Amino acid sequence: MTEQLRLMAVHAHPDDESSKGAATMAKYVSEGVDVLVATCTGGERGSILNPKLQGDPYIEKNIHEVRAKEMAEARDILGVKQEWLGFVDSGLPEGDPLPPLPEGCFALQDVDEAAGRLVKLIREFRPHVVTTYDENGGYPHPDHIMTHKISMVAFEAAGDASRYPEAGEPWQPLKLYYNQGFNRPRTQALHEALLERGMESPYGEWLERWQSMGRERTLTTYVPCGDFFEIRDKALIAHATQIDPDGGWFRVPLDLQREIWPTEEYELAKSVVGTSLPEDDLFAGIRNN
């Protein structure tokens, strides 16, 4: 291809872009790829997970504004563009039975209607590749599952002139991927490497939970991006309300991560171009066409 490559990453909340595929995005930015993050909600109902900031009255009162500023900082660190789709965070319901979702929230929107906003953004940005979540949302947060739903509709509809005619000129993305950075092979490899070196592993409970889960996801694409793990972590730390810099996210030394597992993983869900699996590039089959 002679034109600039473009990648769109669709995420549910501010901070998701920094915890899922951030090193991949930073790598592609360094190579001249135009990268846009589409953030579905403002994270208004997200809990303050960093214990150092819990109880801060300003943050609690202005969480939407605070999270928007965190997103702006993370965006600058990663070097990406970013747009808000403007939906309202659904929150993560807890309890037994689970309480109903808040009226008007993202997860309660009509899927086809909500997908129209993403179709419009796809037609404006014209990405060659889109990344999103699988049907389980990566984990079963209602906003993550809804992000999957509208991404699938938008990928199919964006290139169809008969659908969403008010959303601009049609554009068909060529490939769609599910983020699968939290996968069992990676977790197992890092867990064993830590124990072999006499270090504590934060992954023991994760691996126990995986034993009771269903089928393993199919990892099709391994993007080498170890040189960008530090940028990923800086972007994640920018989301200060969500991330404790002394927490479990950062217990595995970067040098060990680069040695043992220097990639981020994806599952190819849809493609309108030919490619050979496994891949090491989200643009495989596109660059030379």
Side-chain angles (χ1 to χ4, degrees), residues 255-281:
D255 286 347
L256 187 146
Q257 292 183 47
R258 294 187 184 104
E259 175 191 347
I260 301 301
W261 204 272
T263 60
E264 289 182 337
E265 290 70 56
Y266 298 85
E267 177 182 353
L268 180 60
K270 290 182 177 292
S271 181
V272 298
V273 297
T275 186
S276 298
L277 302 179
E279 306 169 318
D280 61 3
D281 179 11

Side-chain angles (χ1 to χ4, degrees), residues 226-263:
D227 290 344
F228 299 89
F229 286 173
E230 187 172 7
I231 293 176
R232 172 202 65 192
D233 287 0
K234 287 180 179 178
L236 197 52
I237 289 170
H239 292 283
T241 59
Q242 304 301 299
I243 300 296
D244 180 359
D246 300 318
W249 282 101
F250 309 105
R251 289 181 186 158
V252 183
L254 290 180
D255 286 347
L256 187 146
Q257 292 183 47
R258 294 187 184 104
E259 175 191 347
I260 301 301
W261 204 272
T263 60

